Amino acid sequence: PREATVGILYCDIAGFTRLSEQVLKTPAKVAELVEHWSRDAVEIVWQHGGVFDKMVGDCIIALFGPPFYDGAPGERLASAIACAKDIRAMTNQLPQRVMFENLREVGVSVSTGVNLAPLFVGQFGPNSNFTGFSSGMNNTARLQGCATKDEILVMDEAIGQLPDGHPFTF
């Protein structure tokens, strides 16, 4: 374990309880959505150089920086934001898949929080799970909880760390 400045992403299926109870209805259909969405979201995390930390319910948590810590902290944040945008686009397209056509009328979206913060990162606990700890993780979770459907919220202090010429608007 070591301390490092890490990009953090919390991405949650918006309105998941409503989707589960009113549209999907059966445990098998709920599990099918979570399985496909989370697999595709984690693949997008990897494509952006992130690592999958864990899944809490229907929320995935990803870290950008570990295990190699390539790039400056601002580049880690940029990767997390780009990843969030790609996960949002993938999620919005889920109802176009044959297996999720019952979601076309209501759609599927995500609420996302992104941050850049110092973390103590490594393997912890009885199972030696890879994760990070700091108030930055907690603040990112809170930020995600404030995000609405398809909104990506980025901690204001983090935005100033983005590299010059970044493609994002806030």
Side-chain angles (χ1 to χ4, degrees):
R2 69 190 237 188
E3 186 172 327
T5 301
V6 175
I8 308 164
L9 177 140
Y10 276 65
C11 192
D12 187 71
I13 299 174
F16 183 73
T17 301
R18 181 184 55 78
L19 281 175
S20 298
E21 294 174 353
Q22 297 176 9
V23 181
L24 300 172
K25 298 181 181 176
T26 69
K29 293 274 189 201
V30 173
E32 184 178 50
L33 173 64
V34 171
E35 179 67 23
H36 285 270
W37 176 79
S38 62
R39 182 196 64 225
D40 291 356
V42 169
E43 180 63 35
I44 292 168
V45 166
W46 291 332
Q47 290 169 6
H48 285 277
V51 295
F52 173 66
D53 179 338
K54 69 177 72 68
M55 191 161 183
V56 179
D58 61 302
C59 178
I60 64 158
I61 303 169
L63 305 177
F64 294 80
F68 305 113
Y69 301 96
D70 293 336
E75 292 168 352
R76 297 171 190 169
L77 176 62
S79 293
I81 296 169
C83 179
K85 291 177 73 173
D86 286 351
I87 291 174
R88 178 177 63 190
M90 174 275 294
T91 303
N92 292 162
Q93 291 300 310
L94 277 175
Q96 302 311 312
R97 298 181 191 179
V98 172
M99 69 181 70
F100 297 121
E101 60 192 8
N102 60 333
L103 298 172
R104 287 183 185 159
E105 188 174 315
V106 296
V108 184
S109 57
V110 289
S111 57
T112 306
V114 178
N115 195 7
L116 181 71
L119 297 183
F120 201 67
V121 182
Q123 292 180 304
F124 298 95
N127 295 326
S128 296
N129 289 333
F130 182 84
T131 192
F133 293 99
S134 80
S135 61
M137 288 288 275
N138 299 333
N139 290 335
T140 310
R142 289 183 188 102
L143 193 63
Q144 180 277 314
C146 293
T148 60
K149 179 180 174 179
D150 279 339
E151 191 172 40
I152 299 168
L153 297 180
V154 181
M155 197 66 72
D156 194 45
E157 309 86 64
I159 293 171
Q161 298 297 310
L162 284 166
D164 291 337
H166 67 78
F168 309 112
T169 55
F170 299 95

